[in-house]
Amino acid sequence: MIDEKLTGVFAEVVRRNPGEPEFHQAVREVLESLGPVLAKNPDLAEYKVIERLCEPERQIIFRVPWQDDSGEIHINRAFRVEFNSALGPYKGGLRFHPSVNLGTIKFLGFEQTFKNALTGMPLGGAKGGADFDPKGRSENEIMRFCQSLMTELYRHLGEYTDVPAGDIGVGTREIGYLFGQYKRITNRYESGVLTGKGVEWSGALVRTEATGYGTVYFVREMLAARGETLDGKVCVVSGAGNVAVHAVEKLVELGAKVVACSDSTGFVVDEKGIDIELLKTVKLHERGRLCDYAERRPDAVYRDRGSVWEVPCDVALPCATQNELTGRDAATLLRNGCIAVAEGANMPTTPEAARMFQEAGIAFGPGKAANAGGVATSALEMQQNASRDSWSFEYTEARLAEIMARIHETCFMTAEEYGAPGNYVVGANIASFLKVSRAMVALGLV
Ligand code: NDP
Ligand code: 2IT
């Protein structure tokens, strides 16, 4: 429930941003936690901090024309929503997916602002992307699209201004083409303008793995707070992209057994435990389908009907996309004895499902806390770029683990302080809101 002091603010957000249900959902989820904060800090209402936080500082929408391999011309639409720069330069990923629209990017940019605050790093919040579908496109088509997009986007970026990274459909390959075009147009080798770069050319070790690994570290902390460990736990992960694959890898390393994962066409159940090397080969290197995994793994079963959440598990990690885990899925997971859920993806759990997990009293880690390891490691990449240094895998991973433990601690303690023990949603929302809003007040009315 939104506190009565904030119902007017939310009504205004809905009125002024019509047709953007995902943005409304993300705002509502944060506002629902903030009643007790306003009671303790009435000055924040006077400064209209919440109203300011709900309005992006700048929104850029532009045309991206490009030619496919047969010469046909295509027109896509791209976005960069620079949400908030109170804590540092705008920072957040770029998503290439046909479903991308302004509302999607706004929900992601809003979330990113709070997530980045939780990392404790000097980062503002932003998100961008395009309604471009990379599926089935050749290397050359991907490169031309990235070059065309950067030909407009470059003027809005800079290591002290706005620093994009990857997200759905954007990985090291795309970041390479984007950086190449930025360098060409500006005549500057400005490493810190993008993160998620290739490790052979200014990228940081562990950035590729960081979101998935970090999510698992967060789960480890949530379980430890309940006297549990990951050892021997049966896990299900949705998605089979960057975040999901590295979550699977770290779960296995920490002694858990992952029995299922999914992609946009179906899911695979592998009772003997997902073969991480085969999964990486099929999904990350060959960019294939999970049915190809099942074909090469005799004991695995591929299903193109039903939901991956029907596979019984102790720990569930949604790592694909928004609103992929519904109330119905939550009921199934709880019936099957699931004790922990952490969001590797951004807003993958519907509000109904999140409520059911909280009412059942299981450990529920919201994305802005659980998946913050990706952007935190982006900040470590920026640090290395700024000092022209490169750190070892072991050192960087130890930093990531430390950051995730600190985020967990912050959320845990804040939830206790505000009378909601064990509620990581409340803890994450309040801790991050306080951090951003104090900076906004200190910087004056800008
Ligand atoms: P990838 O593109 O690498 O992988 C996305 C995966 O999710 C793929 O397996 C894809 O299926 C599946 N998927 C995507 N869209 C849909 C959909 N509409 N329905 C069903 N399945 C879908 O992206 P990432 O792994 O980078 O991102 C996954 C999630 O994690 C996103 O929510 C992203 O915002 C979030 N995230 C990412 C971070 C990062 O560092 N990359 C950091 C923090 C959060 P298929 O294989 O068939 O395409
Ligand atoms: O959602 C996210 O946090 C990301 N896609 C990563 C952002 C980043 O700048 O590393």
Side-chain angles (χ1 to χ4, degrees), residues 111-127:
E111 282 278 296
Q112 196 82 45
T113 300
F114 297 97
K115 181 195 306 188
N116 293 2
L118 273 183
T119 65
M121 310 296 211
L123 302 169
K127 202 81 183 193

Side-chain angles (χ1 to χ4, degrees), residues 188-376:
R188 281 167 64 84
Y189 200 110
E190 193 183 330
S191 312
V193 74
L194 289 166
T195 59
K197 300 180 291 295
V199 290
E200 314 81 13
W201 56 275
S202 315
L205 290 168
V206 190
R207 176 60 190 91
T208 304
E209 296 83 359
T211 311
Y213 281 17
T215 303
V216 175
Y217 285 133
F218 195 85
V219 174
R220 182 171 71 173
E221 298 295 327
M222 290 200 300
L223 291 178
R226 294 169 173 239
E228 291 265 10
T229 70
L230 271 167
D231 197 35
K233 294 287 183 299
V234 175
C235 306
V236 169
V237 175
S238 68
N242 172 274
V243 179
V245 167
H246 295 106
V248 172
E249 183 169 64
K250 188 51 71 180
L251 284 169
V252 173
E253 237 179 87
L254 296 183
K257 183 177 179 191
V258 186
V259 294
C261 65
S262 63
D263 66 13
S264 58
T265 47
F267 63 100
V268 71
V269 184
D270 193 339
E271 293 294 349
K272 288 200 169 144
I274 295 281
D275 177 338
I276 182 69
E277 288 313 319
L278 180 59
L279 182 65
K280 280 187 177 175
T281 302
V282 170
K283 289 302 301 185
L284 301 186
H285 305 140
E286 297 173 2
R287 296 175 189 273
R289 318 298 318 149
L290 276 181
C291 50
D292 305 330
Y293 173 98
E295 262 172 33
R296 292 186 224 169
R297 179 100 167 150
D299 293 315
V301 181
Y302 176 73
R303 302 210 182 115
D304 59 5
R305 270 163 212 270
S307 158
V308 73
W309 308 121
E310 288 159 15
V311 182
C313 63
D314 302 309
V315 175
L317 302 187
C319 297
T321 194
Q322 62 270 20
N323 292 324
E324 53 156 320
L325 197 166
T326 63
R328 197 176 147 168
D329 299 323
T332 308
L333 284 165
L334 290 169
R335 202 169 44 242
N336 288 336
C338 179
I339 59 164
V341 176
E343 297 185 324
N346 287 307
M347 208 168 76
T349 311
T350 64
E352 185 192 11
R355 210 162 28 246
M356 288 165 71
F357 292 143
Q358 270 149 19
E359 280 167 12
I362 70 164
F364 175 66
K368 58 172 78 68
N371 72 41
V375 73

Side-chain angles (χ1 to χ4, degrees), residues 98-222:
S99 66
V100 163
N101 59 46
L102 181 61
T104 311
I105 300 299
K106 278 165 72 177
F107 115 65
L108 289 162
F110 182 80
E111 282 278 296
Q112 196 82 45
T113 300
F114 297 97
K115 181 195 306 188
N116 293 2
L118 273 183
T119 65
M121 310 296 211
L123 302 169
K127 202 81 183 193
D131 60 356
F132 168 71
D133 188 358
K135 285 224 165 64
R137 289 295 169 197
S138 70
E139 281 282 329
N140 275 325
E141 288 172 329
I142 299 281
M143 181 174 73
R144 282 197 296 275
F145 180 80
C146 289
Q147 290 176 339
S148 180
L149 182 135
M150 187 52 93
T151 303
E152 169 59 32
L153 188 62
Y154 88 94
R155 70 187 82 249
H156 308 287
L157 306 184
E159 65 172 311
Y160 297 108
T161 309
D162 185 352
V163 182
D167 195 80
I168 290 177
V170 177
T172 311
R173 172 181 68 171
E174 291 73 20
I175 294 293
Y177 297 143
L178 291 163
F179 185 80
Q181 186 73 350
Y182 182 87
K183 180 171 79 62
R184 187 176 192 194
I185 296 172
T186 60
N187 195 30
R188 281 167 64 84
Y189 200 110
E190 193 183 330
S191 312
V193 74
L194 289 166
T195 59
K197 300 180 291 295
V199 290
E200 314 81 13
W201 56 275
S202 315
L205 290 168
V206 190
R207 176 60 190 91
T208 304
E209 296 83 359
T211 311
Y213 281 17
T215 303
V216 175
Y217 285 133
F218 195 85
V219 174
R220 182 171 71 173
E221 298 295 327
M222 290 200 300

Side-chain angles (χ1 to χ4, degrees), residues 309-435:
W309 308 121
E310 288 159 15
V311 182
C313 63
D314 302 309
V315 175
L317 302 187
C319 297
T321 194
Q322 62 270 20
N323 292 324
E324 53 156 320
L325 197 166
T326 63
R328 197 176 147 168
D329 299 323
T332 308
L333 284 165
L334 290 169
R335 202 169 44 242
N336 288 336
C338 179
I339 59 164
V341 176
E343 297 185 324
N346 287 307
M347 208 168 76
T349 311
T350 64
E352 185 192 11
R355 210 162 28 246
M356 288 165 71
F357 292 143
Q358 270 149 19
E359 280 167 12
I362 70 164
F364 175 66
K368 58 172 78 68
N371 72 41
V375 73
T377 309
S378 280
L380 300 181
E381 182 171 335
M382 291 160 76
Q383 248 182 67
Q384 290 167 78
N385 292 152
S387 58
R388 303 192 187 284
D389 197 359
S390 55
W391 306 342
S392 70
F393 197 94
E394 292 69 26
Y395 175 73
T396 318
E397 200 190 347
R399 291 280 309 261
L400 168 64
E402 221 174 83
I403 292 167
M404 296 313 296
R406 207 169 52 229
I407 294 173
H408 174 272
E409 163 100 359
T410 302
C411 298
F412 189 88
M413 301 302 286
T414 309
E416 291 232 323
E417 188 187 334
Y418 281 84
N423 189 330
Y424 293 98
V425 173
V426 166
N429 287 340
I430 294 183
S432 55
F433 169 75
L434 284 173
K435 177 124 204 206

Side-chain angles (χ1 to χ4, degrees), residues 37-49:
V37 186
L38 282 191
K40 274 197 189 180
N41 305 274
D43 57 318
L44 294 177
E46 193 188 314
Y47 290 121
K48 297 252 159 88
V49 170

